[in-house]
Amino acid sequence: MANAIRALAMDAVQKANSGHPGMPMGMAEIAVALWSGHYSHNPANPKWLNRDRFLLSNGHGSMLHYALLHLSGYGVTMDDIKAFRQMHSKTPGHPEVDVTPGVETTTGPLGQGIANAVGMALSEYLLASQFNRPGFDIVDHYTYAFVGDGCLMEGISHEVCALAGTLGLNKLIALYDDNGISIDGKVEGWFTDDTPKRFEAYGWNVIRAVDGHDVAAVAAAIAAAKTSSKPTLICCKTIIGKGSPNLQGGDKVHGAALGDKEIAAVREYIGWDAAPFEMPADVYAAWDAKAAGAKREGDWSELFAAYSAKFPAEAAELSRRMQGDLPASFDATLAAAIAACVDKKENIATRKASQNAIQALAPSLPEFLGGSADLTGSNLTNWKECVALRSGQPGNHVNYGVREFGMSAIMNGVTLHGGFIPFGATFLTFSDYSRNALRMAALMKLRSIFVFTHDSIGLGEDGPTHQSVEHISSMRLIPNLDNWRPCDTVESVVSWGAAVKRKDGPSTLIFSRQNLPYQERSAQQIADIARGGYVLQDVANAQAILIATGSEIELAVAAAAALAAEGVAVRVVSMPSTDVYDRQDAAYKAGVLTKGLPRVAIEAGVSAFWYKYVGLEGAVVGIDTFGESAPAGVLFKHFGFTVDNVVAKVKSVLLA
């Protein structure tokens, strides 16, 4: 069974002339131990609710996963294996969720797979606490992750594994491919951590020095891990490229095809007689998991039917949440929250408006799982009824600690698992720490919601280390990421509604520290906020257009009034989400940014992005340096965010 993995891995990499044969060959017996003895799954239904989750955090070894899926009976054919790393195949270079049946997450950037696994284990624990009843363990599965030295060198592994230990996520089991080799050679020159002690310090159960080529020993370690009250790390000593007589144990086998001569030597060395991409019938029979999987799911389905009969409301609610559907009442709840903002007309910081939106929406969204990276009192992502998550105490608000990257990648794992809509927060400047997890959420089309407060020089005295300048524009460059920067209470609620309702990608919600004034709107204008950009104030025979977002809307409105007093008619466009606006039809966009009208954009950030909307003949009031430490009002004046400067810019484009 292990040699079948080796053969498929080396042959597929050789055919593609690209890939990583070393890890699949080295972890083959570990995979046999898990997949043939412990892994609860059903190849005929990769989305079965109560399946175990398997994540290949060391995703460069993707042929290991593809071999397992093919051999055990998933919809991955031998032709798919032959198409490894080819255009539009089911077997891309690194595993991709929703591309390959049975792949739970997209891995590639090392460390994020184990972070996603922590999120999945967290979801399993919380769903079980909410839905299981005596005699009905409807949610009851393990999360398994394969990890390598690279995953454990990445800083994110420290963040997420420390939190997993603190929370006691005992159904998380990681199997460590301890082969002592990375791309540059023997890791002893740059990675001498005492990994077992490190994980014991995190609060993990550690099983040391397991022979990774002894199937029985690995299987016994997994069985022992299942009895622990802690997450478990199983340290498996392995030989990279095991079975390659001339390359095993060295770095040359890590990331390159073995070559025809060495592949022939492998076949002789391990006694594998089958031709490339041919599999003996007895091997297929040994690996076939279809019948066992059908029985597992069938037994669970009988249990769930009995559960549904006894607890119909809970069963329906669990099904709804796992399907990602919102409650039928959500639209009415959102409309009521918007109406409340219109009634109150509050002049408050949008971070506070965000908290008010959360407070209004959370009671009707039991799937909300909020949190903050040690900034709850500043990000305001808590609400009155929320319960703090602690070890042994389920909750719906997570104190992630100062772990921005870990928080974001854990949230992605929560979303991938299903059953929750996670949101987590930090200061906008620290989105840099979260950046690659945001990118992965966008790539995987996940409904993860990233909240960023303290969005500009408006935060004041903390200075340039904390004042965001380039961050919003840089996040707008990430495909499939919707970024919202609302200007007041109404736009804040609408942006929350859009993020919650979006099922095909993540959103960022970007909020101010300082108070912002309420803007008056018609019912149609409120409806148009969800289109990303709309005419906030219009005039007959407009001569120019002012475009702004967030805190700069106040300035645009004031400048338009000053221009009107001088006889210059200016339209004000609020564009809280350029990403959403760009997806609108041409006719709508023509009614907002009418062709031929000169334009000036205003945003307290880098200016280059906005020339997309104003053109080379337009102007931008922005910031192309770092900030300063001073009160917010002083800073806005210093950087030219004044009525006089905006008026001058408009006059300049009218004269051009």
Side-chain angles (χ1 to χ4, degrees):
M1 292 172 74
N3 285 341
I5 294 172
R6 294 188 171 97
L8 287 173
M10 69 179 183
D11 289 339
V13 171
Q14 182 69 20
K15 186 175 187 299
N17 195 29
S18 173
H20 300 76
M23 186 279 268
M25 297 176 76
M27 292 194 78
E29 283 84 6
I30 299 171
V32 173
L34 175 60
W35 278 60
S36 68
H38 290 281
Y39 184 46
S40 179
H41 62 122
N42 181 10
N45 183 11
K47 298 296 186 182
W48 168 37
L49 187 152
N50 198 46
R51 68 192 182 279
D52 287 342
R53 270 53 169 186
F54 172 74
L55 298 90
L56 196 73
S57 190
N58 41 355
H60 55 272
S62 57
M63 264 311 304
L64 173 68
H65 204 173
Y66 302 148
L68 289 167
L69 294 169
H70 170 72
L71 292 166
S72 60
Y74 284 79
V76 178
T77 67
M78 190 62 84
D79 284 341
D80 294 325
I81 299 295
K82 292 178 182 178
F84 178 55
R85 287 185 162 230
Q86 304 309 301
M87 180 72 79
H88 302 314
S89 75
K90 287 185 183 179
T91 50
H94 292 80
E96 295 182 34
V97 69
D98 295 328
V99 170
T100 312
V103 168
E104 300 284 0
T105 185
T106 300
T107 53
L110 292 175
Q112 288 199 64
I114 184 63
N116 295 164
V118 172
M120 291 186 182
L122 175 60
S123 296
E124 190 276 342
Y125 165 65
L126 293 176
L127 282 176
S129 71
Q130 292 176 18
F131 289 99
N132 288 355
R133 298 293 183 270
F136 293 96
D137 289 337
I138 296 303
V139 181
D140 182 19
H141 66 78
Y142 288 89
T143 299
Y144 297 101
F146 282 4
V147 299
D149 287 311
C151 297
L152 299 185
M153 281 188 260
E154 289 284 2
I156 190 174
S157 72
H158 297 258
E159 296 182 24
V160 301
C161 292
L163 185 59
T166 296
L167 295 178
L169 300 177
N170 66 307
K171 288 191 173 180
L172 172 61
I173 299 174
L175 294 105
Y176 168 33
D177 179 29
D178 183 10
N179 59 36
I181 295 291
S182 66
I183 292 174
D184 280 357
K186 293 183 178 180
V187 300
E188 62 192 25
W190 48 86
F191 184 50
T192 58
D193 300 17
D194 188 329
T195 298
K197 283 186 178 179
R198 168 186 156 192
F199 274 77
E200 286 170 351
Y202 292 156
W204 284 52
N205 170 46
V206 177
I207 302 176
R208 298 167 175 254
V210 176
D211 182 351
H213 301 298
D214 183 336
V215 172
V218 176
I222 297 170
K226 289 181 174 180
T227 68
S228 177
S229 60
K230 304 175 180 180
T232 295
L233 179 73
I234 302 173
C235 301
C236 301
K237 294 297 294 184
T238 62
I239 299 171
I240 190 172
K242 173 77 171 175
S244 175
N246 300 302
L247 297 176
Q248 63 183 3
D251 57 278
K252 301 301 183 186
V253 77
H254 168 84
L258 301 185
D260 291 332
K261 184 177 179 180
E262 185 65 12
I263 284 177
V266 172
R267 281 185 149 76
E268 181 178 356
Y269 187 73
I270 67 176
W272 188 262
D273 298 327
F277 304 109
E278 291 185 6
M279 195 59 53
D282 60 333
V283 174
Y284 272 132
W287 270 111
D288 191 350
K290 293 191 291 293
K295 185 178 188 309
R296 288 190 192 99
E297 184 175 356
D299 291 345
W300 179 87
S301 295
E302 289 183 9
L303 180 66
F304 189 71
Y307 175 83
S308 300
K310 192 168 184 179
F311 307 103
E314 289 83 353
E317 177 69 0
L318 177 60
S319 297
R320 176 190 72 78
R321 286 172 55 174
M322 291 302 291
Q323 290 164 7
D325 297 332
L326 295 177
S329 62
F330 180 76
D331 285 340
T333 301
L334 178 62
I338 294 170
C341 292
V342 174
D343 289 341
K344 293 179 181 178
K345 297 179 172 37
E346 292 180 294
N347 299 332
I348 57 177
T350 52
R351 62 170 175 158
K352 180 60 180 175
S354 166
Q355 186 179 44
N356 292 346
I358 295 169
Q359 184 63 59
L361 300 178
S364 66
L365 287 174
E367 57 264 56
F368 255 7
L369 182 64
S372 173
D374 200 48
L375 289 168
T376 303
S378 294
N379 300 148
L380 304 181
T381 48
N382 55 340
W383 63 102
K384 290 177 183 177
E385 300 84 4
C386 72
V387 176
L389 172 69
R390 297 290 184 266
S391 178
Q393 175 187 301
N396 54 7
H397 190 273
V398 186
N399 297 102
Y400 286 99
V402 187
R403 302 181 178 105
E404 295 90 351
F405 191 8
M407 171 183 71
S408 302
I410 287 171
M411 286 165 52
N412 288 344
V414 168
T415 307
L416 285 159
H417 181 280
F420 294 96
I421 298 175
F423 59 91
T426 184
F427 290 166
L428 177 58
T429 305
F430 305 137
S431 63
D432 286 335
Y433 288 141
S434 301
R435 176 82 179 204
N436 204 261
L438 268 66
R439 183 178 189 272
M440 295 305 292
L443 178 62
M444 291 188 276
K445 302 179 181 179
L446 303 182
R447 183 163 53 188
S448 297
I449 301 174
F450 303 98
V451 177
F452 298 116
T453 69
H454 295 60
D455 66 344
S456 72
I457 57 171
L459 69 88
E461 291 86 347
D462 275 342
T465 62
H466 284 53
Q467 291 164 3
S468 296
V469 176
E470 76 280 16
H471 298 82
I472 301 173
S473 288
S474 70
M475 291 193 301
R476 289 172 179 144
L477 299 178
I478 299 176
N480 198 44
L481 178 64
D482 283 358
N483 301 278
W484 290 87
R485 187 178 183 234
C487 75
D488 69 354
T489 57
V490 173
E491 285 192 358
S492 296
V493 175
V494 172
S495 65
W496 262 106
V500 169
K501 294 173 76 169
R502 188 180 187 213
K503 296 181 70 172
D504 62 352
S507 302
T508 73
L509 303 178
I510 301 166
F511 300 116
S512 72
R513 176 183 184 269
Q514 73 274 27
N515 289 348
L516 304 180
Y518 175 83
Q519 302 294 334
E520 293 287 351
R521 300 173 185 82
S522 68
Q524 184 58 55
Q525 287 174 311
I526 291 173
D528 287 342
I529 295 171
R531 304 186 76 164
Y534 66 102
V535 178
L536 176 64
Q537 289 186 2
D538 209 358
V539 291
N541 302 312
Q543 298 167 261
I545 300 174
L546 281 173
I547 312 167
T549 75
S551 53
E552 286 69 72
I553 284 292
E554 175 184 8
L555 177 58
V557 169
L563 286 160
E566 297 183 31
V568 180
V570 176
R571 174 186 298 167
V572 177
V573 168
S574 178
M575 198 174 286
S577 177
T578 61
D579 313 280
V580 176
Y581 173 79
D582 287 347
R583 294 199 295 269
Q584 303 307 305
D585 61 81
Y588 178 78
K589 289 191 285 188
V592 176
L593 299 181
T594 303
K595 188 175 181 179
L597 289 180
R599 304 166 187 174
V600 174
I602 315 169
E603 187 171 64
V606 291
S607 60
F609 171 84
W610 286 101
Y611 286 97
K612 170 182 178 181
Y613 299 98
V614 303
L616 295 178
E617 68 281 1
V620 180
V621 178
I623 303 176
D624 291 312
T625 67
F626 292 110
E628 298 278 354
S629 180
V634 173
L635 291 169
F636 277 115
K637 184 176 181 180
H638 172 75
F639 285 105
F641 289 88
T642 64
V643 169
D644 288 346
N645 190 37
V646 174
V647 167
K649 291 286 187 183
V650 172
K651 290 180 178 179
S652 72
V653 299
L654 287 172
L655 293 173

